[in-house]
Amino acid sequence: MTSRADDLDGRPGSSPGEALPGGAPRRVFLETYGCQMNVADSELVRGLLARDGWVVVPDPAEADAILVNTCAIRENAEERVLGRFTQLLQHKQTRPGVQLGLLGCVATHQRERLLDRAPWIDLIVGPDGYRDLPELLRGGTDPRIEVRLDRDETYADLAPDLAPGPRAFLTVMRGCDKFCTFCVVPFTRGRERSLPAEAVLEQVRSAVGEGKREVVLLGQTVNAWRHDGLDFGDLLRRVARVPGVERIRFTSPHPSDVGESMIDAMAGEEKVMPWLHLPLQSASDPVLAAMQRGYGLDEYRRLLERIRERIPGIAVSTDVIVGFPGETEADFEATENFLRETRYDFAYLFKYSAREGTRAWKIEETVDEAEKGRRLERLIALQEAISLERHREQVGREAEVLVEGPSKRPPGHVHGKTRDFKTAVLPGDGIEAGDLVRVRIEDATAHTLLARPLGIASTLEGVGRSASVTRESGRPEGDVTSR
Ligand code: 5AD
Ligand code: SF4
């Protein structure tokens, strides 16, 4: 299965990774960049390597293999990760037996250039090559490369090693067939494919068995999930039937794949949380067309109206790109106006970054970096004001928070998410990660709700403890940041 660079370009091999003397467990350090899909892929890799006898260590200085799972979505993400990878070379210089591997989207995107930039690299493994990682790490001629995309690989049979905390991120479909003109994902992650419903349900049951209370179903266009005649709405309904699951979310759906079945499931299933991330990208029809997003603004607007009618109070977030080639001031203002009209709860805002291999790569850029920066700043300021208004509307209301752990600030506080995916910070007396806590919202910043516990609705063990509700919550110094 594995293609090797010396097959490709005749490079001489360097030292292969060798088994440790005395049968000591081999230690791996794994660092992850990018989206939740990458985080979930790293959990998969950890699970795979653990079954092959590897132990995950928190410090690269202790590791026999150092792996970096990378993101290629924008140029600065890619450059940051390559810079970090070069830094990690120091470990190989001091301990020549150490193997350095680059995983993920940069592996597929930069496969040719990586060997020039990092000739000392031992492994280059793309998102569809993880099944081979244990074998690749056993050694061979350097560098070992597996960057082929596989139309069938879903890893449905492999158990991920889930990160601690009450929430599990579970991949239900991989790849993307949309080919938006700006996006590198279809090239780095390949074609769309869905896990069978039963495999998803098994992962959900297993996550619940580990104490998870919330599952987030993941896919590049997650609502394109379909298998054996079932659609994404059917999947949501089935997941909601798994005993022990208390909260279900999903990200990221594509507007063109939103069907009645999905909306019905969101409206009808109490466990499907009232939050929808619905990427817009631009509110100008000519820009949407140039991006080949597959919808026009009116269609998007009507869809959102329908969703808000069916699920009153639903929180909605979005993604926007500024400075796509050809975006005029008027196009940009259309996006600004639409953000004002729609009042998203929050938004991830990006400057367009030309990615080699995409269709937009060939279109000449018309908005310079300084102007992209100005447009971005304008949208950030606008969205921050809207987010703050939306948060303030919640003051005085009750909410339910799933506690994730201690908050950075203020001391003694914990943080978690409300049902509509807002970050809440509350005094932590008697409260533990995994508790579902009824709170009253007392204050708000653009990023955080400040809450007071009213009582613990239920704990992980299902034992209803009552919280001590004595301390007033204070305003944290720093906001919880979004992407
Ligand atoms: N430049 C800027 N932003 C991008 N995104 C995807 N590709 C690019 C790009 N080339 C953004 C989109 C997408 C989110 C995950 O990343 O908004 O929804
Ligand atoms: Fe990229 Fe578009 Fe696919 Fe999303 S739908 S991953 S933006 S190509």
Side-chain angles (χ1 to χ4, degrees), residues 176-180 182-186 220-221 254 281 293:
C176 179
D177 286 352
K178 293 281 187 294
F179 287 92
C180 301
F182 54 80
C183 187
V184 79
V185 165
Q220 227 68 53
T221 50
H254 189 286
Q281 312 303 356
R293 284 290 290 173

Side-chain angles (χ1 to χ4, degrees), residues 243-315:
V245 173
E246 306 210 33
R247 289 178 162 199
I248 301 162
R249 304 185 193 280
F250 55 90
T251 196
S252 284
H254 189 286
S256 305
D257 288 321
V258 176
E260 276 322 296
S261 170
M262 175 188 135
I263 300 177
D264 286 347
M266 293 191 80
E269 294 291 343
E270 178 67 11
K271 291 182 177 176
V272 179
M273 293 293 105
W275 164 60
L276 182 67
H277 185 68
L278 197 63
L280 168 71
Q281 312 303 356
S282 166
S284 149
D285 276 330
V287 175
L288 286 172
M291 289 175 163
Q292 294 184 10
R293 284 290 290 173
Y295 54 83
L297 184 63
D298 269 354
E299 223 174 312
Y300 181 100
R301 181 188 273 124
R302 280 199 304 274
L303 174 64
L304 196 47
E305 277 167 11
R306 205 162 80 241
I307 292 168
R308 282 177 161 168
E309 257 164 45
R310 293 285 314 279
I311 309 151
I314 188 172

Side-chain angles (χ1 to χ4, degrees), residues 73-74 182 281 319 321 350-353 355 483:
I73 196 96
R74 283 169 289 275
F182 54 80
Q281 312 303 356
D319 291 341
I321 298 175
F350 307 106
K351 285 194 280 186
Y352 170 69
S353 166
R355 305 311 287 132
R483 154 162 62 130

Side-chain angles (χ1 to χ4, degrees), residues 125-251:
V125 184
D128 288 344
Y130 300 147
R131 201 176 280 277
D132 289 347
L133 254 180
E135 187 55 39
L136 292 168
L137 280 163
R138 262 190 270 284
T141 313
D142 272 358
R144 284 147 270 156
I145 302 179
E146 180 49 274
V147 291
R148 272 180 298 177
L149 296 172
D150 184 329
R151 281 173 182 271
D152 301 315
E153 180 60 275
T154 61
Y155 303 116
D157 56 317
L158 299 178
D161 172 22
L162 298 176
R167 180 183 301 129
F169 292 95
L170 303 176
T171 302
V172 303
M173 57 84 67
R174 304 182 68 86
C176 179
D177 286 352
K178 293 281 187 294
F179 287 92
C180 301
T181 56
F182 54 80
C183 187
V184 79
V185 165
F187 305 97
T188 61
R189 286 186 165 270
R191 298 286 64 72
E192 202 173 281
R193 60 221 108 114
S194 298
L195 277 77
E198 191 42 49
V200 174
L201 295 176
E202 190 43 45
Q203 298 218 4
V204 173
R205 286 191 282 265
S206 165
V208 169
E210 285 183 38
K212 306 295 180 193
R213 308 188 88 178
E214 175 172 311
V215 292
V216 185
L217 309 185
L218 295 178
Q220 227 68 53
T221 50
V222 68
N223 55 336
W225 183 92
R226 53 182 51 76
H227 204 274
D228 273 352
L230 299 175
D231 66 19
F232 186 63
D234 299 324
L235 184 68
L236 286 174
R237 280 180 280 271
R238 276 164 202 229
V239 172
R241 299 282 95 78
V242 174
V245 173
E246 306 210 33
R247 289 178 162 199
I248 301 162
R249 304 185 193 280
F250 55 90
T251 196

Side-chain angles (χ1 to χ4, degrees), residues 20 26 151 255-256 398 416 455 478:
L20 290 180
R26 291 164 300 165
R151 281 173 182 271
S256 305
E398 282 190 26

